Amino acid sequence: GRVEPGFPVQLVVDAHGDRRFDGQVLAVEPVVDPATRNFTVRARLPNPDGLLSGGQFARVTLLLPGAESVLAVPRTAIDYSSYGASVYVVQPRSGATAGELEVIQRFVRLGEARGDFVAVAEGLKPDERVATSGLLKLRNQQPVSIDNSNPPQPSLSPSLPNT
């Protein structure tokens, strides 16, 4: 219901690397397929160099107006269980000497996921640090040390390496 003619679209064709083609939505099909919940959008993209042709595989991004600010964490930081999703917040250890850290398990409500990131709707503050690896070994109030020698590299558009 929010998609309208005139909205910008971006197209990336694998045959042309990371080159983006920008265009605009011309029409939106008013019917949504009940089986897939998909709908058809027609857009026009300038093609002055003739690089685009029918039958090419492409990734299309429809840009909706308005930006929404969310708190996102890597997927690897989420501990999914039958009780709900949680994260382990890293904080100074209570009653210990300076520099000692511990983790506190905090249940969170999740929002949308994109790529390797998940939005946290409730349960986490922007300035809090979370554990992103080794979750199977962690327990509530467990002392931890941080080793960032091999950090995970989350991406909004992950791809498998060529094997």
Side-chain angles (χ1 to χ4, degrees):
R2 299 184 334 196
V3 179
E4 298 176 3
F7 280 14
V9 294
Q10 289 182 342
L11 180 106
V12 177
V13 179
D14 291 336
H16 302 299
D18 289 335
R19 182 171 175 185
R20 292 179 193 259
F21 298 89
D22 295 317
Q24 285 188 334
V25 172
L26 292 179
V28 180
E29 181 71 34
V31 178
V32 176
D33 183 343
T36 63
R37 300 179 66 190
N38 291 334
F39 60 96
T40 303
V41 175
R42 180 176 296 228
R44 176 172 289 145
L45 295 99
N47 189 20
D49 302 330
L51 296 174
L52 300 175
S53 61
Q56 291 180 314
F57 288 99
R59 289 185 305 276
V60 178
T61 304
L62 175 64
L63 304 171
L64 297 175
E68 183 179 341
S69 180
V70 296
L71 177 61
V73 297
R75 282 185 196 260
T76 57
I78 307 294
D79 185 16
Y80 298 96
S81 71
S82 58
Y83 300 110
S86 64
V87 295
Y88 286 95
V89 177
V90 179
Q91 62 183 30
R93 191 168 182 192
S94 57
T97 60
E100 291 185 1
L101 302 171
E102 69 180 358
V103 290
I104 302 295
Q105 185 178 21
R106 175 118 23 98
F107 286 93
V108 292
R109 188 171 60 85
L110 301 177
E112 292 184 34
R114 289 207 182 129
D116 292 335
F117 292 95
V118 178
V120 177
E122 288 180 9
L124 194 62
K125 296 176 186 165
D127 59 341
E128 293 181 308
R129 288 192 295 183
V130 296
T132 58
S133 59
L135 299 186
L136 292 175
K137 299 175 185 178
L138 295 180
R139 300 292 175 256
N140 200 27
Q141 296 181 327
Q142 178 178 353
V144 294
S145 62
I146 297 175
D147 179 7
N148 283 330
S149 61
N150 189 18
Q153 301 295 327
S155 169
L156 280 174
S157 55
S159 61
L160 295 174
N162 294 335
T163 54

